[in-house]
Amino acid sequence: MQSVLIVVHLMIVVALVVTVLLQRSEGGALGVGGGGGFMTGRGQANVLTRATAILAALFFATSLGLTILARVNQAPSSIIQHVAPATKPAANAPPGQPASPGGGLLDQLKQIEDQRQSSPSPAQPASPLAPPN
């Protein structure tokens, strides 16, 4: 469905660009204004103005349709939407060990921090560039 809508959207875009470029320009910016063309006078202005308005409305409609389709097919953008609710640790669970493999994101971070604080830090090796004492 989305592929079909994209193809229709691209055809409308090309048609819109062509109708805008065919319109008579007062300043002659593209060098096509003035002189003769396939239509002259008011007939050209009315037909091209209506065609531009219709194509512009179709462009907006297909743009909105593509946006809605993209939003419907979009995966959730936040990891917090998928985090399971936090479980309370069991009373007999050892400190620093999770009560269950799940838990919320904040609980998991707190457990990691507790493990870091409870484990002794290894001695820092001397830097090879440091001068000996």
Side-chain angles (χ1 to χ4, degrees):
M1 175 68 182
Q2 193 172 9
S3 300
V4 173
L5 196 55
I6 288 174
V7 170
V8 171
H9 184 72
L10 290 175
M11 290 189 313
I12 290 171
V13 166
V14 170
L16 185 62
V17 168
V18 168
T19 56
V20 168
L21 290 177
L22 283 177
Q23 290 181 8
R24 182 177 176 195
S25 62
E26 296 297 325
L30 294 178
V32 216
F38 75 97
M39 292 175 69
T40 57
R42 275 190 278 175
Q44 178 186 15
N46 289 339
V47 171
L48 290 177
T49 302
R50 280 192 189 172
T52 304
I54 291 169
L55 288 170
L58 290 173
F59 173 78
F60 283 119
T62 56
S63 295
L64 287 173
L66 284 170
T67 303
I68 291 169
L69 278 176
R71 187 68 178 159
V72 167
N73 296 335
Q74 181 183 14
S77 60
S78 175
I79 62 169
I80 296 177
Q81 294 174 353
H82 291 292
V83 173
T87 57
K88 298 210 176 211
N92 58 0
Q97 296 295 323
S100 66
L105 181 64
L106 294 176
D107 291 335
Q108 293 172 3
L109 291 173
K110 182 166 177 32
Q111 290 171 359
I112 292 170
E113 184 64 31
D114 290 343
Q115 287 174 356
R116 284 187 184 166
Q117 289 177 355
S118 65
S119 65
S121 61
Q124 293 288 336
S127 173
L129 300 177
N133 289 340

